[in-house]
């Protein structure tokens, strides 16, 4: 029948993240696999956007592009090489490259930190491990120490970690447990 309209099912209340949408009711060729599926007219649409879009920001962008709302605000960036950079977000692109101004590299030792001024800083997107807006006004000023003191503490922590690792390797060697590091370094074989 020409011009006949198909009726849509009544709208369902959104009680879960799954919603149902009607499939185009075109006739399938005989013997097709789709004919064997019960209730083929309805498929589960498991996209989160349907039921949660009302709760999310209208311009939500996943990943680093969600930082676009933080332009001209201070952000903290943890890099893959374990460095921490804090600066004012100047620009970001679709590759996740971040341009920061008034940037400092924050160095930690024990519970204290010091800042090394870096100026304008460009971070390649693949090196970003974590990035987010930071409130610098809530920092404890007692935690900030002079750079030389924090670097000395950091070096002392590094030496202590190396000594502990060396003692564990030595005890493992005496117990007859060899690791690949021990076979490459002849420190305990002499």
């Amino acid at each position: 029948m020409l011009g006949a309209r198909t009726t849509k099912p009544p709208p369902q209340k959104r009680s879960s993240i799954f919603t149902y949408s009607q499939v185009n009711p075109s006739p399938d060729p005989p013997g097709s696999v789709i004919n064997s599926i019960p209730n083929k007219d309805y498929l589960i649409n498991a996209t989160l956007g349907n039921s949660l879009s009302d709760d999310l920001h209208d311009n939500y962008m996943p990943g680093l592009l969600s930082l676009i709302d933080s332009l001209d605000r201070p952000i903290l960036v943890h890099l893959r090489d374990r460095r921490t950079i804090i600066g004012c977000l100047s620009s970001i692109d679709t590759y996740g490259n971040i341009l920061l101004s008034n940037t400092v590299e924050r160095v930690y030792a024990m519970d204290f930190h010091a800042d090394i001024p870096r100026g304008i800083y460009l971070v390649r997107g693949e090196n970003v491990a974590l990035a987010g807006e930071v409130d610098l006004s809530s920092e404890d000023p007692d935690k900030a120490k002079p750079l030389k003191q924090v670097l000395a503490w950091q070096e002392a922590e590094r030496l202590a970690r190396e000594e502990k690792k060396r003692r564990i390797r030595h005890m493992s060697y005496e117990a007859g447990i060899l690791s690949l590091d021990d076979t490459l370094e002849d420190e305990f074989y002499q």
Side-chain angles (χ1 to χ4, degrees):
M1 174 169 158
L2 287 173
R5 292 186 176 183
T6 59
T7 59
K8 292 183 180 178
Q12 298 178 0
K13 196 173 210 179
R14 294 180 181 176
S15 60
S16 71
I17 62 171
F18 298 103
T19 58
Y20 294 92
S21 62
Q22 188 163 3
V23 175
N24 185 6
S26 62
D28 299 317
S32 72
V33 177
I34 294 182
N35 282 331
S36 64
I37 300 174
N39 298 330
K40 65 182 172 104
D41 293 335
Y42 295 96
L43 290 177
I44 296 179
N45 184 356
T47 59
L48 292 175
N50 285 344
S51 62
L52 297 179
S53 63
D54 300 334
D55 300 334
L56 293 176
H57 190 275
D58 291 338
N59 295 326
Y60 175 74
M61 291 175 278
L64 284 174
L65 285 180
S66 63
L67 287 175
I68 207 152
D69 292 336
S70 300
L71 282 173
D72 297 325
R73 294 187 189 150
I75 66 166
L76 181 136
V77 181
H78 284 286
L79 302 178
R80 285 183 13 192
D81 63 357
R82 297 185 177 195
R83 286 186 294 160
T84 302
I85 307 295
I86 299 174
C88 185
L89 181 62
S90 297
S91 180
I92 187 167
D93 65 4
T94 56
Y95 297 104
N97 299 325
I98 297 174
L99 182 65
L100 301 170
S101 61
N102 300 327
T103 307
V104 295
E105 181 180 345
R106 184 153 287 181
V107 181
Y108 294 96
M110 298 190 292
D111 289 335
F112 302 102
H113 69 268
D115 294 336
I116 304 171
R118 297 291 185 195
I120 295 176
Y121 212 83
L122 177 65
V123 181
R124 190 169 176 172
E126 67 182 20
N127 293 323
V128 175
L130 177 73
E133 196 171 330
V134 64
D135 182 18
L136 298 175
S137 64
S138 64
E139 288 185 343
D140 186 7
D142 295 335
K143 298 286 184 178
K145 297 293 181 185
L147 179 61
K148 286 185 179 181
Q149 188 176 13
V150 173
L151 290 176
W153 289 339
Q154 195 178 45
E155 181 65 17
E157 286 178 339
R158 185 187 66 78
L159 291 174
R161 279 193 308 270
E162 284 181 2
E163 177 61 25
K164 182 178 178 181
K165 183 178 176 182
R166 192 191 69 72
R167 280 185 286 151
I168 290 172
R169 285 181 41 218
H170 184 68
M171 289 187 312
S172 299
Y173 172 74
E174 287 184 352
I177 303 170
L178 297 177
S179 68
L180 183 61
D181 292 340
D182 291 336
T183 58
L184 296 175
E185 299 175 10
D186 295 331
E187 179 180 347
F188 299 117
Y189 296 110
Q190 297 173 0

